[in-house]
Amino acid sequence: MAVQLIGSWASRFALRPRIALNMKSVNYEYREENLWAKSELLLKSNPVYKKVPVLIHDDKPMCESNIIVSYIDEIWSDGPSLFPSDPHDRAMARFWVHYIDDKVCMNHLRSCLMILKAIGEVLACTKLLEEAFGKCSKGKPFFNGESIGYLDLALGSYLGWIKAVELVGGVKLLDGETPVLAAWAERFCANEAVKDVMPDAQKLAQLGREKLGWQAAK
């Protein structure tokens, strides 16, 4: 089965299916996209949003990172499950993913570098997620339990950008106030499925300065 993934090294959303495919040990072709000069393949494969990621499986494209991750979990079911087995736990994982994408978004991360009040908003999110980790993980290493899952992918995809914000803004978003979440972040980034595809925080910080107009908070 031919598998291609169109993504961008800096895209937190493209990172999710990359890790999911690695978790499932799927052989795939990764196509790096220039988001400032989009390819015909991307425009043809995602004519509605014209964004990455796009998964092309047997010549059939699909879009949106969370939809792609769910598809990967269903198609390659032999690998570790990306969702909890309990229906309530699955629903809660989806709830927290929605929360993460709603609250821990690039608009908030960007504003952290310009408006100090926004830092408190992100910190409030991380404190809630610290509590959620205890409930979802049930004492195990990841939100999903023993292995990385749907919720881990959603939050983990922001870690490179969070570290970039910390570098440029001189703030700590994961620190002593959220020790459990900080320890989870280290485990996530060190995982074999993650470490080779996690974007470098220094490069993301430079991209933020050059393309997004990031300025250190004063």
Side-chain angles (χ1 to χ4, degrees):
M1 294 185 290
V3 182
Q4 291 181 316
L5 181 68
I6 306 173
S8 169
W9 70 273
S11 169
R12 63 204 182 280
F13 295 118
L15 184 61
R16 296 174 184 180
R18 291 191 76 180
I19 297 172
L21 289 167
N22 290 344
M23 290 288 297
K24 298 284 189 174
S25 299
V26 177
N27 291 322
Y28 66 98
E29 178 188 356
Y30 175 71
R31 299 178 67 98
E32 179 69 21
E33 184 71 24
N34 182 349
L35 299 182
W36 285 269
K38 296 176 181 178
S39 68
E40 286 299 319
L41 179 62
L42 175 61
L43 298 177
K44 177 182 176 182
S45 301
N46 188 359
V48 177
Y49 289 114
K50 303 177 178 62
K51 295 180 179 180
V52 297
V54 177
L55 181 74
I56 304 174
H57 181 211
D58 287 342
D59 297 322
K60 298 175 182 177
M62 66 196 68
C63 313
E64 298 298 302
S65 63
N66 294 331
I67 293 172
I68 294 171
V69 168
S70 296
Y71 178 84
I72 290 169
D73 193 53
E74 291 178 13
I75 294 297
W76 291 282
S77 57
D78 291 343
S81 177
L82 302 178
F83 287 87
S85 58
D86 180 78
H88 179 265
D89 291 345
R90 287 199 300 274
M92 291 308 298
R94 289 188 171 97
F95 168 83
W96 283 112
V97 168
H98 177 78
Y99 175 82
I100 288 164
D101 285 342
D102 182 43
K103 298 296 184 181
V104 190
C105 62
M106 279 306 299
N107 288 334
H108 288 115
L109 294 181
R110 185 182 302 176
S111 63
C112 276
L113 301 175
M114 302 174 185
I115 306 171
L116 283 171
K117 288 182 180 179
I119 294 173
E121 200 167 335
V122 176
L123 288 174
C125 295
T126 60
K127 289 177 182 177
L128 278 176
L129 291 167
E130 174 98 347
E131 296 175 10
F133 182 84
K135 295 176 182 178
C136 294
S137 68
K138 300 176 182 178
K140 295 180 180 177
F142 298 100
F143 283 96
N144 192 51
E146 294 292 349
S147 63
I148 288 172
Y150 184 67
L151 178 49
D152 298 279
L153 290 173
L155 183 57
S157 66
Y158 285 91
L159 289 176
W161 283 103
I162 287 173
K163 291 178 181 177
V165 167
E166 292 177 342
L167 288 172
V168 178
V171 296
K172 289 294 290 183
L173 300 177
L174 293 176
D175 58 10
E177 293 190 21
T178 54
V180 174
L181 207 58
W184 163 83
E186 289 187 12
R187 285 193 297 274
F188 182 88
C189 291
N191 188 275
E192 289 295 323
V194 178
K195 62 183 183 180
D196 290 337
V197 295
M198 177 65 69
D200 180 74
Q202 292 282 2
K203 291 182 179 179
L204 289 175
Q206 186 62 30
L207 181 67
R209 295 184 187 98
E210 293 177 354
K211 297 292 186 180
L212 303 177
W214 280 11
Q215 298 175 17
K218 297 180 180 179

